[in-house]
Amino acid sequence: MAGHEFDAAMGEAITEALAAAASADVPVGAVVTDAAGRVIGRGRNRREETHDPTAHAEVLAIRQAAATVGDWQLPGCTLVVTLEPCVMCAGAILAAGIPVVVFGAWDEKAGAAGSVYDVLRDRRLNHRAEVLGGIRAEECSALLLDFFAERRAEGA
């Protein structure tokens, strides 16, 4: 699995992340693609906007993809997200049966795809996903670093 094949989808996820930042949410964006590489679900963090703690980019993209295909199971799909999924999102990914997860920036505080936890590849679970991290990592990390630097500057 080469990273360059996910470059365009990561660009779509970055666009979603920028939309999240514009609405004062943490800039994380995600897309779900089908087996042909078509985007069938989009999401961005909307926790602040909706006052919903589960409104993470991945969960919203998975919900939209499931609605698009008319099924809660998403085999043959790929989730592309700008930040390593957390435990909640990893659970949603596995519940949907998404076999491939691609992400940009590592989350050294709450990541569940290899940094803090490795939920997506845990052999004790029924389902596992292939994980490819670090795609356009500098760009994805910069979104987060800039967002939090701006928030700190506003609070100073």
Side-chain angles (χ1 to χ4, degrees):
M1 199 166 49
H4 65 279
E5 69 187 89
F6 301 109
D7 203 49
M10 184 60 78
E12 298 280 338
I14 289 168
T15 298
E16 292 295 326
L18 291 168
S23 66
D25 232 312
V26 176
V28 178
V31 295
V32 176
T33 61
D34 65 12
R38 293 181 300 256
V39 174
I40 59 169
R42 297 176 182 279
R44 65 179 186 271
N45 274 3
R46 297 182 71 187
R47 292 182 306 168
E48 297 296 330
E49 180 183 337
T50 63
H51 309 289
D52 178 356
T54 68
H56 286 207
E58 300 96 320
V59 170
L60 298 177
I62 290 168
R63 286 178 185 162
Q64 189 176 86
T68 298
V69 300
D71 196 345
W72 61 271
Q73 297 179 64
L74 299 171
C77 292
T78 299
L79 175 80
V80 180
V81 60
T82 58
L83 180 65
E84 179 183 2
C86 70
V87 173
M88 176 184 71
C89 293
I93 291 162
L94 295 177
I98 296 173
V100 179
V101 175
V102 176
F103 66 87
W106 292 89
D107 186 346
E108 298 296 332
K109 294 181 180 178
S115 62
V116 178
Y117 304 102
D118 202 356
V119 174
L120 293 176
R121 295 179 286 201
D122 191 325
R123 297 211 175 276
R124 296 170 292 183
L125 301 173
N126 289 6
H127 302 284
R128 282 169 289 293
E130 187 174 354
V131 175
L132 179 61
I135 303 304
R136 295 175 68 171
E138 286 183 26
E139 193 174 351
C140 293
S141 293
L143 290 170
L144 294 160
L145 292 170
D146 293 349
F147 176 81
F148 286 112
E150 188 175 306
R151 299 276 289 222
R152 282 190 298 277
E154 290 171 359

